[in-house]
Amino acid sequence: PAWGPWKKKPNVISWTALIVAYSQRGQCKKALELFRQMQQEGVKPDCFTFVSVLGACAPSALAEGKLIHANIIDSGFESNVVVENALVDMYGKCGTLQDAKGVFDKMHCRDVISWTAFIAAHCQKGHGNDALELFRQMQQGTVQPNSITFVNIIGACASLLALTEGKVIHSS
């Protein structure tokens, strides 16, 4: 087969770079097409490919995201924290909190990105009280919030008109 500008068959790194490029430019359908084509060509995705293509699924390609999630499980990447974070983020941006919760609850290791993605998902759905409860749970553990976590939590406080709590969080 003709490989265009490549002299040899593209590898997973080449495919992932293309998927990232299309996804970052808002051409998510093309990124998803490339992912399917990559698999048809017999190239197995790695964790970076999965993270990249999941980003292309949100917020409008939930069905495709669920298929990719099944592919992640089949490929043995379901316990990779970076992939799990991307799944929580994708499900959250697609508006399916139950799916995001399913991934989040199964995570063995949660980092600030895990917590922030799940908190953001609740904020996006207008569940400010749940977002605040998650924030409290996060603070009880060893994970420290970052600036993105604070932006989401302050937004949750604003949506709830929880001025006092917002001030306390802001000063921490």
Side-chain angles (χ1 to χ4, degrees):
W3 299 108
W6 293 299
K7 295 187 189 240
K8 60 182 184 173
K9 185 177 177 180
N11 61 20
V12 68
I13 296 168
S14 306
W15 282 107
T16 302
L18 284 171
I19 291 166
V20 167
Y22 279 102
S23 182
Q24 286 179 345
R25 284 165 182 71
Q27 297 181 11
C28 299
K29 281 187 177 182
K30 182 65 177 173
L32 291 166
E33 287 173 24
L34 285 168
F35 179 73
R36 285 189 293 274
Q37 184 181 349
M38 177 188 87
Q39 291 183 298
Q40 290 168 354
E41 302 273 345
V43 177
K44 293 194 182 306
D46 62 14
C47 64
F48 302 106
T49 313
F50 283 124
V51 169
S52 302
V53 76
L54 285 169
C57 292
S60 59
L62 177 61
E64 194 81 42
K66 286 186 174 206
L67 289 173
I68 292 167
H69 188 173
N71 197 322
I72 287 166
I73 292 168
D74 292 343
S75 300
F77 288 106
E78 73 273 14
S79 294
N80 179 304
V81 69
V82 177
V83 174
E84 290 171 315
N85 288 343
L87 282 165
V88 171
D89 184 61
M90 183 270 301
Y91 282 130
K93 287 178 179 171
C94 287
T96 58
L97 283 179
Q98 200 59 35
D99 291 319
K101 182 179 182 347
V103 175
F104 186 81
D105 286 348
K106 289 179 186 174
M107 294 178 79
H108 297 291
C109 176
R110 296 179 188 141
D111 60 14
V112 67
I113 297 167
S114 315
W115 284 99
T116 301
F118 199 40
I119 288 167
H122 283 82
C123 291
Q124 290 166 8
K125 290 294 281 183
H127 299 164
N129 283 321
D130 293 334
L132 284 169
E133 179 55 32
L134 286 166
F135 182 72
R136 288 184 200 103
Q137 290 174 26
M138 176 184 173
Q139 288 184 307
Q140 290 171 0
T142 59
V143 178
Q144 294 297 309
N146 64 16
S147 59
I148 298 168
T149 315
F150 282 116
V151 166
N152 280 283
I153 287 302
I154 297 298
C157 290
S159 72
L160 295 169
L161 302 176
L163 181 61
T164 304
E165 186 146 14
K167 284 181 177 181
V168 169
I169 291 169
H170 185 263
S171 66
S172 63

